[in-house]
């Protein structure tokens, strides 16, 4: 839990970032689009939801947020070899299982 009460979440975002949650989201979209359009630059990476290729023990084909480097043509590559401790591995697998649960619920609605 982030410790942010949902009722006061917007105020917490403004206090922490100096932006409303809507402006924070808009800035994130702009930053993401810039990186995708112009590339991240040599040695720089960002997070992007892309289909897994099996990296970081996330099964292939699952849409997941990975560290990616993006070249100037907009082609992304999942960054390999970043340090990953037990805590990170546990959280990544928990997220993977949450995604599977959400996919099951979504499929049941179709």
């Amino acid at each position: 839990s982030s410790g942010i009460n949902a009722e006061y979440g917007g105020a917490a975002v403004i206090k922490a970032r100096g932006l409303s949650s809507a402006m924070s989201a808009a800035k994130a979209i702009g930053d993401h689009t810039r990186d995708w359009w112009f590339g991240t630059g040599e040695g720089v990476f960002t997070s992007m939801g892309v289909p897994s290729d099996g990296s970081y023990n996330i099964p292939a084909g699952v849409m997941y947020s990975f560290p990616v480097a993006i070249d100037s043509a907009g082609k992304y590559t999942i960054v390999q070899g970043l340090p990953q401790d037990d805590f990170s591995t546990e959280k990544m697998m928990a997220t993977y299982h949450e995604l599977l649960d959400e996919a099951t619920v979504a499929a049941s609605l179709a």
Side-chain angles (χ1 to χ4, degrees), residues 11-88:
V13 169
I14 291 169
K15 184 176 180 180
R17 305 233 14 226
L19 300 170
S20 70
S21 56
M23 285 301 295
S24 183
K27 181 173 180 350
I29 291 167
D31 290 348
H32 190 79
T33 303
R34 178 202 60 230
D35 289 343
W36 205 353
W37 188 258
F38 295 107
T40 53
E42 189 67 32
V44 178
F45 60 89
T46 189
S47 294
M48 183 184 277
V50 299
S52 176
D53 61 1
S55 294
Y56 299 95
N57 296 316
I58 303 300
V62 174
M63 290 298 292
Y64 198 90
S65 182
F66 287 101
V68 297
I70 307 168
D71 68 19
S72 60
K75 182 179 183 295
Y76 71 86
T77 304
I78 297 175
V79 176
Q80 301 296 323
L82 295 178
Q84 188 176 351
D85 61 15
D86 291 342
F87 177 80
S88 298

Side-chain angles (χ1 to χ4, degrees), residues 97-108:
H97 289 291
E98 288 173 12
L99 289 170
L100 287 182
D101 290 345
E102 290 173 2
T104 300
V105 169
S108 75

